[in-house]
Amino acid sequence: MGRNKLERLAGPGNVYFANISEGWLGYTIVFVSLITFMSFAGIFVLGWKNSKHSLRYTFIINLIFTILISVMINDDYKAINQDELIISTLGKKEKIPWSDVKHAYLKGKITSDGFKKSSGSSFKWKFEFVLKNGDTEEFGPFTYFKYNLKDSLNIKKLLADKNISLTIDQLSDEEWEYVQIDMDYEEEVKPEDFYSLFQYDPKSGQYYYIHY
């Protein structure tokens, strides 16, 4: 997604905004685009007339498929603003007013990233909103970076302003070890922002409660 388009979609009033086409559709379009490029390269080298029918069909079908997926995920995003939650997927936009939100959870866990042979671990968190009709909507994941922490703190503040109760996970000793490693590497991040997010006092080693 181009920068100008991202800024247009995000808008100035959003507390949080994220493109959500990085999921399976995002990986699919990367894979299909690669096949399209490889088949095009083969046709370019051999020439259209000298290339096999199967190669030409592969190129045409995958090109059409790439264009279709690109159009489908053109405006896929999630946003949180002062008035509502917004989920836009496959051309369908859903707006959920704060009056429909019953409760929120801040959940964190260690996740595996990448494929098995080259996978690593990191600590990530997400916000889960429980709606009054029983449905749930998730926003995230967030990782230990400056802007992720800023967005998360802004979401917490907005929840407090809307008087929506928030339940926060308490990190295990193993999870704190991962977070401490991230703190050593990310120089621009303020550790106190993370402590504030999970409402933890590192001096006393205790969590504290904030009444919303």
Side-chain angles (χ1 to χ4, degrees):
M1 182 178 289
R3 183 178 181 84
N4 291 335
K5 184 179 179 183
L6 185 64
E7 291 176 350
R8 174 180 63 80
L9 288 173
N14 289 320
V15 171
Y16 168 80
F17 177 90
N19 179 27
I20 58 174
S21 59
E22 290 92 354
W24 67 271
L25 275 175
Y27 290 117
T28 300
I29 195 171
V30 171
F31 178 72
V32 174
S33 297
L34 180 61
I35 295 177
T36 304
F37 174 77
M38 292 175 64
S39 57
F40 171 77
I43 293 172
F44 181 80
V45 172
L46 298 173
W48 182 265
K49 292 183 179 181
N50 296 327
S51 60
K52 294 182 178 180
H53 290 292
S54 59
L55 184 62
R56 281 180 265 173
Y57 290 146
T58 299
F59 169 69
I60 294 172
I61 292 172
N62 281 278
L63 178 62
I64 294 172
F65 196 44
T66 301
I67 294 172
L68 287 175
I69 295 178
S70 298
V71 172
M72 288 173 64
I73 66 174
N74 190 41
D75 288 338
D76 279 14
Y77 66 90
K78 285 189 174 183
I80 298 174
N81 60 42
Q82 293 289 333
D83 299 319
E84 60 207 355
L85 310 176
I86 302 175
I87 299 97
S88 178
T89 55
L90 303 180
K92 181 182 177 182
K93 183 182 292 185
E94 181 182 7
K95 295 183 178 182
I96 303 170
W98 286 108
S99 58
D100 288 349
V101 179
K102 181 179 180 181
H103 188 76
Y105 291 91
L106 173 57
K107 298 181 177 181
K109 67 177 181 179
I110 298 171
T111 63
S112 296
D113 306 314
F115 298 100
K116 290 184 178 180
K117 291 184 179 180
S118 59
S119 64
S121 298
S122 61
F123 181 78
K124 297 181 180 179
W125 64 90
K126 64 183 179 181
F127 285 89
E128 182 181 285
F129 295 91
V130 180
L131 309 183
K132 291 180 179 178
N133 63 5
D135 292 342
T136 60
E137 292 292 345
E138 293 182 355
F139 288 78
F142 300 87
T143 53
Y144 192 80
F145 289 105
K146 178 180 179 180
Y147 294 106
N148 278 190
L149 279 169
K150 180 182 177 182
D151 286 346
S152 297
L153 289 169
N154 285 336
I155 293 171
K156 272 191 66 178
K157 183 179 183 302
L158 184 56
L159 287 171
D161 292 341
K162 300 297 180 181
N163 293 316
I164 295 174
S165 57
L166 174 67
T167 300
I168 299 176
D169 273 359
Q170 293 188 4
L171 278 64
S172 66
D173 292 339
E174 181 185 6
E175 289 167 341
W176 275 118
E177 288 180 8
Y178 274 92
V179 173
Q180 294 293 338
I181 292 173
D182 288 339
M183 287 178 178
D184 291 337
Y185 284 99
E186 297 298 330
E187 296 180 357
E188 293 186 0
V189 177
K190 297 177 181 179
E192 54 266 31
D193 286 344
F194 186 85
Y195 293 135
S196 176
L197 177 65
F198 280 87
Q199 295 174 195
Y200 177 78
D201 182 356
K203 292 183 179 180
S204 66
Q206 299 292 322
Y207 289 88
Y208 54 89
Y209 175 74
I210 297 177
H211 178 71
Y212 291 93

